[in-house]
């Protein structure tokens, strides 16, 4: 029924979209917009004008003007008052209620960053090795076998299929190779439920009844996932194509494929 119903026709939908766009541009639907009004900043020595929607209670043009206006009577805080405020806040939960100001609930460990040799504190349960993400990228990201260093280029490849979104060059090249060899393939056709996660193989070859997984290398996480899959779905055939296998295919077939992507 959907195919025969005129509303789902592409030409009809494009025509209606164009009509609606023109109506908004001509102001025919202005009544549906929230009314905008111009206000003057309430701060005495500020004459800035700002625009807000009519239901917005905003009275100042900026947070700075609001703070200056509302804190005129208070004046600067003395050190004594600052200390009192700090003591009164100690032990109170913050907005997210994850920790209390002044109280360290989780014991911290001192660690040395292997990238910059800087000492930093981290929670005992966190497997944190680097003080910052930048240090992590400098050290781990420079390794060729690192997931962070993988030169994946996600996106649609029009020469393969304008409706498929590949997550790496290797996946796209494998699809091109299967097409060249005239082997039917389906990209990420099925998701399997493992013990604590879900797993979707990269490809399925229906003529060979085999799933294909393309990996640069097998990290500990990938090894556990692969083992779980083979235990739970022993009837399914899963073929791993690792870096060494992929490079052999690239050497053999890349010259025969016009749009082969080199990483």
């Amino acid at each position: 029924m959907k195919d025969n119903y005129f509303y789902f026709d592409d030409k009809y939908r494009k025509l209606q979209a164009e009509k609606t766009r023109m109506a908004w541009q001509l102001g025919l639907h202005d009544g549906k917009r929230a009314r905008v009004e111009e206000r003057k900043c309430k701060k005495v020595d500020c004459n800035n004008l700002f625009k807000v929607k009519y239901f917005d209670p905003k009275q100042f043009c900026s947070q700075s003007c609001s703070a200056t206006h509302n804190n005129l009577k208070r004046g600067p805080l003395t050190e004594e008052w600052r200390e009192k405020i700090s003591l009164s806040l100690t032990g109170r939960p913050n907005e997210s209620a994850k920790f209390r100001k002044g109280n360290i609930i989780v014991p911290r460990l001192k660690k040395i960053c292997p990238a910059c040799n800087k000492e930093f504190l981290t929670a005992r349960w966190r497997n944190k090795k680097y003080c910052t993400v930048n240090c992590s990228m400098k050290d781990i990201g420079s390794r060729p076998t690192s997931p962070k260093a993988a030169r994946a280029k996600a996106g649609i490849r029009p020469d393969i299929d304008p409706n498929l979104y590949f997550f790496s060059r290797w996946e796209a090249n494998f699809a091109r190779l299967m097409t060249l060899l005239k082997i039917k393939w389906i990209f990420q056709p099925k998701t399997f439920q493992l013990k604590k996660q879900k797993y979707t193989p990269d490809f399925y070859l229906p003529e060979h009844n085999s799933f294909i997984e393309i990996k640069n290398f097998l990290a500990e996480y990938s090894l556990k996932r692969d083992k779980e899959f083979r235990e739970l779905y022993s009837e399914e055939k899963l073929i791993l194509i690792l870096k060494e296998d992929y490079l052999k295919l690239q050497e053999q077939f890349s010259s025969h494929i016009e749009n082969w992507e080199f990483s």
Side-chain angles (χ1 to χ4, degrees), residues 127-143:
N127 187 25
K128 188 175 180 180
K129 298 180 180 179
Y130 300 89
C131 60
T132 62
V133 176
N134 289 335
C135 284
S136 174
M137 288 299 295
K138 286 178 183 178
D139 189 22
I140 302 176
S142 60
R143 301 176 193 170

Side-chain angles (χ1 to χ4, degrees), residues 61-107:
C61 64
S62 65
Q63 290 184 349
S64 176
C65 285
S66 174
T68 305
H69 177 84
N70 293 321
N71 295 331
L72 282 175
K73 296 180 180 179
R74 190 180 71 177
L77 292 176
T78 62
E79 290 298 325
E80 182 182 358
W81 271 104
R82 289 178 184 275
E83 187 177 352
K84 286 183 179 180
I85 293 173
S86 178
L87 289 173
S88 67
L89 292 175
T90 301
R92 292 187 181 183
N94 70 338
E95 292 179 357
S96 60
K98 290 183 178 178
F99 67 91
R100 296 174 180 272
K101 182 178 175 65
N103 292 345
I104 299 178
I105 297 176
V106 181

